[in-house]
Every structure is written in structure tokens, then in C-alpha cells.
Amino acid sequence: MGVTPRRRTFAVAALAAITAIGGLAACTKKNDEPSTPGEIKLVVDTFGEFGYDDLVKQYEASHPGIKIELRKTAQLGDYRPKLVRYLATNKGAGDVTALEEGIITEFKANAANWVDLSQYVGDKSADYLPWKYEIGKTSDGKLLGLPTDVGGLAMCYRKDLLEAAGFKSDREAVSALWPTWDDFIKVGQEYRTKTGKGLLDTVTTAFSASLSQVGGDLFYDKDFNVVADTSPAVKTSWDLALKLADAKVTAKTNTWSAEWQAGFQQGTFAATLCPSWMLGIIEQNSGAANKGKWDVASVPGGGGNWGGSWLSVPTQSKHPKEAAELAAFLTNADSQVAAFKAKGPLPSNLKALGNADFQAYQNPYFNNAPVGKIFGEGAKTLKPVTIGPKHSSVKERAFEPALQAYEAGRLSAQAAWDQAIKDAKVQGAF
């Protein structure tokens, strides 16, 4: 695949932006401290929950002389700026670095920052969902990232709260309550009447889910022009979010805020959109006291692909071969099944998706929901969406603040849309 003039422009701009912040070198954390003589230390940088805690211990046990530091950042919004800084200063990045779908296109623009993994792990294209593997390659065919997970969609809900409001709570009955978003709104209005609370956490999770359901071009077209103001997916998802807010079926908690995190334990809301990777975050936020109270039902409006990541090795790593081999281990079939059982990321490895243990797995935290069956059945039919270079910035710094302002009553619908479009042009520029 050739490099379009637009992409060349982006690559130069991205490099300039990264170089411009080189003065922040003193702020980066060192990860090249001397290790025990003869010992190799590898740092793995992730965000959210990838389910690697036990896997890195397993790798250390089977590879004497290698020690691994698993360095987690809770939120992608905090993770990306640190990675930009590490690359700008050529110091501080993990030897194995996770790249989420909303940022991988941005970082692919400067391929010189990344090791071509194929020289160490060979051609792995037959192992993964084909489209997922292709996104991990640069325009000139280098393998920048090995696939970890894909999105998949479901609705996670508090069965105890639905029961207390007089609804049936088993997952089949709950799924039957809301085959469409209009049905979901009716349930939400009834829940509001009976409890005085919002059924859903916030409009922004529904906005993100709807984007993945509609698919196609989202904030960018295939040449990476910002088309947020004309994208059918954006308009459909925007209208859905406003409809949910108007119906007063949300709890108005901003995603990733302290209020949102506490809401999982306090029952501030009874449902949230949950791509597979969200299972571990819900469990972490809800705590041990709520084990068995959450369950997993179908999502209104059909499936979609929200999220997913890759593992890459920055060229600044002093141990690129060992780091590439560790990335290959963490993304192989057995490891993806283990990570799914630990924290929920849905495998993109084809053998993992066909693994009997994966398919039969029931998550004890979520009332023994058959999550392998729920998320696995549609995984092979998931389709990629057009993710532009500043996808996460446009979504999180333009559209989500505007939607939250409308949900809180601070902006009219037109003013919120105008603000989102104006900010999208700024956040999406490259």
C-alpha cells in the first residue's frame, strides 16, 4: 500500500510535534537502570487492564535471566501524552508498548520509532483476524504491532438493582427487554419512574457504542480528512445520545471520573455499555462486595467493534529481540485465553477464539455469565472502522465534553453540536 500525500504530510507534522516537546526530557522516567549482571529487564507499558499479571510471572519462570516490570496507566488519556514524551526524548518508553486503536494510526505515522517485529517473530498473519493484523502494519509493510484484543459489545447490568425495581433479571429476559435503542429508552424511563435514578451511566458510552455499531467512516475518511460534521455514523450516534439525555435515562456521570468509578459500587446506575475489555474495569471499580451482582446481556441495536489494541516495541529499547519475543508470547493463543479469563480482553488470535476453554468460560464475577459464548460468537464477524490519527482526541476532547454539557443542561442541542464540530477541527488537525 502506498503512502498518500496526506499521510506524508501527517508524518512530517507528527514528527515536528514530537520534536517540539523535546525539552521535557528531564520529566521522563528512566527504565534503563542497571539490572543484575547478566539479567535483562523488560518494561511492559499498558493502560486499563490487559490481564498480564500472571502471564509475566509465567514468562519470567520459563525464561531465567529475564525480569519484567508491568507498568500500568489507568486511563488512555494519561497514557498517550507520556508515550509522546518518551518518543520525543528517545528515553523512558517501555520495551513492550501497548497501542490502542484510537492512537495507533497517529503513532504509525513515524515508523522509525518502532521495531519491525517480523524480523524477530516472523510472519504471524495466519494467526489473527486478518483486518486486525493488517492495521498493525505500516504503509510500507513493516509489522509495527502484534494484535491483542478486539472490542465486541454487550450491556453489563446490575441484576440486583433491576430486581429491586421490579424487572426480571436473568440475562435472557433482560436481553429481550431492549432489542432496540428505543426499547432501551422505554425501560430506562420505567426504571427512572420506579427508582428516581438513571439506568445508564452516561450518554457518552452509548455514543461510543453506536459509532461502532454504525461503522464505516467515523471522524475521518479513508484519506484522513476530518469529516465529523458530515459522517452518518457520527450524526446517528449524536442523535441517539441526545435522545437518551432527553428521556432522562442516564445518571449523568462523566466516564472515568471519580463519580463514575464510585457509581459502580454505589448503584448510581444499573447498566453500562461493555465491550469485552470493560469487564475487568467494571470488576475493579465495583469491588469484591458486588461480585455476582453484575451480569451481561445483549446490547440494543446489534453488535459492534469498540476498542482493541496491539503490542509494539520502540526502537529505543535496548533489548528489541527479547521484547519482541515477549510481545509474541503475550499475544499468542494460550496467553490471549488466559488474559480474557483474567480481565476480559476479547482475543483476536484465531486459535484462541476457537479454543474450547475460551468458548466455555463463565465469568464468576458476572454471575457466571457465559462470556466466552456471548463475546466469542460474533468476534470473527467484527468489521474494522476508519480510525483516524487523532480519533481519541476528537472523541474525548470534542464530542464527549459537548455531549456532557448537553446532558447536564449547560448547552442547547445546537450549541453543543456547534461546539463539538468546532473542537473536532482543532483536536483532529494534523
PDB file of all heavy atoms in Angstrom, residues 203-204 254 399-412 415-416 419:
ATOM      1  N   VAL A 203     -24.480   9.344  28.567  1.00  0.00           N
ATOM      2  CA  VAL A 203     -24.740   9.290  27.129  1.00  0.00           C
ATOM      3  C   VAL A 203     -23.479   8.974  26.319  1.00  0.00           C
ATOM      4  O   VAL A 203     -23.563   8.489  25.194  1.00  0.00           O
ATOM      5  CB  VAL A 203     -25.344  10.613  26.612  1.00  0.00           C
ATOM      6  CG1 VAL A 203     -26.699  10.858  27.222  1.00  0.00           C
ATOM      7  CG2 VAL A 203     -24.404  11.795  26.859  1.00  0.00           C
ATOM      8  N   THR A 204     -22.298   9.266  26.871  1.00  0.00           N
ATOM      9  CA  THR A 204     -21.087   9.109  26.060  1.00  0.00           C
ATOM     10  C   THR A 204     -20.728   7.643  25.807  1.00  0.00           C
ATOM     11  O   THR A 204     -20.135   7.335  24.771  1.00  0.00           O
ATOM     12  CB  THR A 204     -19.885   9.830  26.709  1.00  0.00           C
ATOM     13  OG1 THR A 204     -19.665   9.306  28.015  1.00  0.00           O
ATOM     14  CG2 THR A 204     -20.141  11.323  26.789  1.00  0.00           C
ATOM     15  N   ASN A 254     -19.753  11.435  34.297  1.00  0.00           N
ATOM     16  CA  ASN A 254     -18.746  11.500  33.237  1.00  0.00           C
ATOM     17  C   ASN A 254     -17.823  10.285  33.304  1.00  0.00           C
ATOM     18  O   ASN A 254     -17.244   9.994  34.358  1.00  0.00           O
ATOM     19  CB  ASN A 254     -17.914  12.777  33.362  1.00  0.00           C
ATOM     20  CG  ASN A 254     -18.746  14.015  33.098  1.00  0.00           C
ATOM     21  OD1 ASN A 254     -19.891  13.929  32.669  1.00  0.00           O
ATOM     22  ND2 ASN A 254     -18.163  15.172  33.354  1.00  0.00           N
ATOM     23  N   PHE A 399     -16.256  15.722  21.182  1.00  0.00           N
ATOM     24  CA  PHE A 399     -17.645  15.260  21.238  1.00  0.00           C
ATOM     25  C   PHE A 399     -18.118  14.928  22.651  1.00  0.00           C
ATOM     26  O   PHE A 399     -19.248  15.263  23.026  1.00  0.00           O
ATOM     27  CB  PHE A 399     -17.836  14.059  20.300  1.00  0.00           C
ATOM     28  CG  PHE A 399     -18.056  14.501  18.880  1.00  0.00           C
ATOM     29  CD1 PHE A 399     -16.982  14.709  18.043  1.00  0.00           C
ATOM     30  CD2 PHE A 399     -19.330  14.756  18.395  1.00  0.00           C
ATOM     31  CE1 PHE A 399     -17.173  15.156  16.738  1.00  0.00           C
ATOM     32  CE2 PHE A 399     -19.535  15.203  17.104  1.00  0.00           C
ATOM     33  CZ  PHE A 399     -18.451  15.403  16.272  1.00  0.00           C
ATOM     34  N   GLU A 400     -17.295  14.260  23.431  1.00  0.00           N
ATOM     35  CA  GLU A 400     -17.759  13.895  24.771  1.00  0.00           C
ATOM     36  C   GLU A 400     -18.014  15.115  25.670  1.00  0.00           C
ATOM     37  O   GLU A 400     -19.051  15.164  26.352  1.00  0.00           O
ATOM     38  CB  GLU A 400     -16.777  12.906  25.422  1.00  0.00           C
ATOM     39  CG  GLU A 400     -16.826  11.532  24.749  1.00  0.00           C
ATOM     40  CD  GLU A 400     -15.989  10.477  25.428  1.00  0.00           C
ATOM     41  OE1 GLU A 400     -15.278  10.812  26.414  1.00  0.00           O
ATOM     42  OE2 GLU A 400     -16.035   9.327  25.003  1.00  0.00           O
ATOM     43  N   PRO A 401     -17.137  16.112  25.689  1.00  0.00           N
ATOM     44  CA  PRO A 401     -17.458  17.303  26.501  1.00  0.00           C
ATOM     45  C   PRO A 401     -18.737  18.004  26.043  1.00  0.00           C
ATOM     46  O   PRO A 401     -19.512  18.492  26.877  1.00  0.00           O
ATOM     47  CB  PRO A 401     -16.229  18.202  26.294  1.00  0.00           C
ATOM     48  CG  PRO A 401     -15.126  17.276  25.957  1.00  0.00           C
ATOM     49  CD  PRO A 401     -15.770  16.191  25.151  1.00  0.00           C
ATOM     50  N   ALA A 402     -18.960  18.056  24.732  1.00  0.00           N
ATOM     51  CA  ALA A 402     -20.176  18.699  24.227  1.00  0.00           C
ATOM     52  C   ALA A 402     -21.421  17.909  24.635  1.00  0.00           C
ATOM     53  O   ALA A 402     -22.441  18.491  25.047  1.00  0.00           O
ATOM     54  CB  ALA A 402     -20.097  18.835  22.715  1.00  0.00           C
ATOM     55  N   LEU A 403     -21.330  16.596  24.541  1.00  0.00           N
ATOM     56  CA  LEU A 403     -22.467  15.766  24.946  1.00  0.00           C
ATOM     57  C   LEU A 403     -22.719  15.871  26.448  1.00  0.00           C
ATOM     58  O   LEU A 403     -23.870  15.916  26.901  1.00  0.00           O
ATOM     59  CB  LEU A 403     -22.218  14.302  24.551  1.00  0.00           C
ATOM     60  CG  LEU A 403     -22.366  13.986  23.066  1.00  0.00           C
ATOM     61  CD1 LEU A 403     -21.870  12.568  22.757  1.00  0.00           C
ATOM     62  CD2 LEU A 403     -23.823  14.129  22.634  1.00  0.00           C
ATOM     63  N   GLN A 404     -21.650  15.900  27.226  1.00  0.00           N
ATOM     64  CA  GLN A 404     -21.808  16.037  28.678  1.00  0.00           C
ATOM     65  C   GLN A 404     -22.423  17.389  29.031  1.00  0.00           C
ATOM     66  O   GLN A 404     -23.232  17.485  29.964  1.00  0.00           O
ATOM     67  CB  GLN A 404     -20.447  15.858  29.357  1.00  0.00           C
ATOM     68  CG  GLN A 404     -19.951  14.421  29.325  1.00  0.00           C
ATOM     69  CD  GLN A 404     -18.443  14.299  29.525  1.00  0.00           C
ATOM     70  OE1 GLN A 404     -17.731  15.299  29.611  1.00  0.00           O
ATOM     71  NE2 GLN A 404     -17.958  13.076  29.595  1.00  0.00           N
ATOM     72  N   ALA A 405     -22.064  18.412  28.294  1.00  0.00           N
ATOM     73  CA  ALA A 405     -22.638  19.743  28.541  1.00  0.00           C
ATOM     74  C   ALA A 405     -24.132  19.746  28.231  1.00  0.00           C
ATOM     75  O   ALA A 405     -24.926  20.358  28.954  1.00  0.00           O
ATOM     76  CB  ALA A 405     -21.907  20.789  27.706  1.00  0.00           C
ATOM     77  N   TYR A 406     -24.511  19.068  27.146  1.00  0.00           N
ATOM     78  CA  TYR A 406     -25.943  18.978  26.824  1.00  0.00           C
ATOM     79  C   TYR A 406     -26.679  18.134  27.877  1.00  0.00           C
ATOM     80  O   TYR A 406     -27.760  18.503  28.351  1.00  0.00           O
ATOM     81  CB  TYR A 406     -26.147  18.350  25.448  1.00  0.00           C
ATOM     82  CG  TYR A 406     -27.611  18.215  25.095  1.00  0.00           C
ATOM     83  CD1 TYR A 406     -28.340  19.328  24.676  1.00  0.00           C
ATOM     84  CD2 TYR A 406     -28.278  17.000  25.211  1.00  0.00           C
ATOM     85  CE1 TYR A 406     -29.699  19.225  24.390  1.00  0.00           C
ATOM     86  CE2 TYR A 406     -29.625  16.881  24.920  1.00  0.00           C
ATOM     87  CZ  TYR A 406     -30.328  18.006  24.509  1.00  0.00           C
ATOM     88  OH  TYR A 406     -31.676  17.902  24.225  1.00  0.00           O
ATOM     89  N   GLU A 407     -26.082  17.013  28.257  1.00  0.00           N
ATOM     90  CA  GLU A 407     -26.691  16.117  29.246  1.00  0.00           C
ATOM     91  C   GLU A 407     -26.903  16.845  30.583  1.00  0.00           C
ATOM     92  O   GLU A 407     -27.909  16.622  31.267  1.00  0.00           O
ATOM     93  CB  GLU A 407     -25.792  14.896  29.448  1.00  0.00           C
ATOM     94  CG  GLU A 407     -26.365  13.803  30.338  1.00  0.00           C
ATOM     95  CD  GLU A 407     -25.414  12.618  30.453  1.00  0.00           C
ATOM     96  OE1 GLU A 407     -24.182  12.830  30.398  1.00  0.00           O
ATOM     97  OE2 GLU A 407     -25.897  11.474  30.595  1.00  0.00           O
ATOM     98  N   ALA A 408     -25.987  17.742  30.933  1.00  0.00           N
ATOM     99  CA  ALA A 408     -26.088  18.474  32.197  1.00  0.00           C
ATOM    100  C   ALA A 408     -26.933  19.733  32.079  1.00  0.00           C
ATOM    101  O   ALA A 408     -27.134  20.452  33.065  1.00  0.00           O
ATOM    102  CB  ALA A 408     -24.680  18.842  32.677  1.00  0.00           C
ATOM    103  N   GLY A 409     -27.395  20.040  30.850  1.00  0.00           N
ATOM    104  CA  GLY A 409     -28.252  21.210  30.664  1.00  0.00           C
ATOM    105  C   GLY A 409     -27.504  22.512  30.509  1.00  0.00           C
ATOM    106  O   GLY A 409     -28.098  23.595  30.590  1.00  0.00           O
ATOM    107  N   ARG A 410     -26.206  22.446  30.252  1.00  0.00           N
ATOM    108  CA  ARG A 410     -25.410  23.666  30.127  1.00  0.00           C
ATOM    109  C   ARG A 410     -25.406  24.225  28.710  1.00  0.00           C
ATOM    110  O   ARG A 410     -25.101  25.389  28.512  1.00  0.00           O
ATOM    111  CB  ARG A 410     -23.965  23.416  30.583  1.00  0.00           C
ATOM    112  CG  ARG A 410     -23.817  22.989  32.039  1.00  0.00           C
ATOM    113  CD  ARG A 410     -22.361  23.095  32.492  1.00  0.00           C
ATOM    114  NE  ARG A 410     -21.480  22.278  31.680  1.00  0.00           N
ATOM    115  CZ  ARG A 410     -21.202  21.002  31.920  1.00  0.00           C
ATOM    116  NH1 ARG A 410     -21.752  20.396  32.973  1.00  0.00           N
ATOM    117  NH2 ARG A 410     -20.387  20.322  31.150  1.00  0.00           N
ATOM    118  N   LEU A 411     -25.712  23.396  27.723  1.00  0.00           N
ATOM    119  CA  LEU A 411     -25.750  23.838  26.335  1.00  0.00           C
ATOM    120  C   LEU A 411     -27.011  23.327  25.666  1.00  0.00           C
ATOM    121  O   LEU A 411     -27.507  22.240  25.996  1.00  0.00           O
ATOM    122  CB  LEU A 411     -24.523  23.303  25.560  1.00  0.00           C
ATOM    123  CG  LEU A 411     -23.149  23.912  25.855  1.00  0.00           C
ATOM    124  CD1 LEU A 411     -22.077  23.196  25.035  1.00  0.00           C
ATOM    125  CD2 LEU A 411     -23.115  25.408  25.558  1.00  0.00           C
ATOM    126  N   SER A 412     -27.521  24.105  24.714  1.00  0.00           N
ATOM    127  CA  SER A 412     -28.627  23.623  23.890  1.00  0.00           C
ATOM    128  C   SER A 412     -28.086  22.585  22.904  1.00  0.00           C
ATOM    129  O   SER A 412     -26.873  22.446  22.729  1.00  0.00           O
ATOM    130  CB  SER A 412     -29.247  24.788  23.116  1.00  0.00           C
ATOM    131  OG  SER A 412     -28.329  25.266  22.142  1.00  0.00           O
ATOM    132  N   ALA A 415     -26.098  24.400  20.181  1.00  0.00           N
ATOM    133  CA  ALA A 415     -24.838  24.931  20.695  1.00  0.00           C
ATOM    134  C   ALA A 415     -23.847  23.814  20.979  1.00  0.00           C
ATOM    135  O   ALA A 415     -22.640  23.953  20.738  1.00  0.00           O
ATOM    136  CB  ALA A 415     -25.102  25.751  21.964  1.00  0.00           C
ATOM    137  N   ALA A 416     -24.340  22.685  21.479  1.00  0.00           N
ATOM    138  CA  ALA A 416     -23.454  21.542  21.758  1.00  0.00           C
ATOM    139  C   ALA A 416     -22.873  20.986  20.459  1.00  0.00           C
ATOM    140  O   ALA A 416     -21.673  20.676  20.378  1.00  0.00           O
ATOM    141  CB  ALA A 416     -24.226  20.458  22.505  1.00  0.00           C
ATOM    142  N   GLN A 419     -20.280  23.369  19.093  1.00  0.00           N
ATOM    143  CA  GLN A 419     -19.038  23.278  19.870  1.00  0.00           C
ATOM    144  C   GLN A 419     -18.255  22.023  19.500  1.00  0.00           C
ATOM    145  O   GLN A 419     -17.030  22.061  19.335  1.00  0.00           O
ATOM    146  CB  GLN A 419     -19.346  23.257  21.371  1.00  0.00           C
ATOM    147  CG  GLN A 419     -18.090  23.060  22.236  1.00  0.00           C
ATOM    148  CD  GLN A 419     -18.408  23.010  23.723  1.00  0.00           C
ATOM    149  OE1 GLN A 419     -19.034  23.926  24.260  1.00  0.00           O
ATOM    150  NE2 GLN A 419     -18.005  21.922  24.382  1.00  0.00           N
TER     151      GLN A 419
END
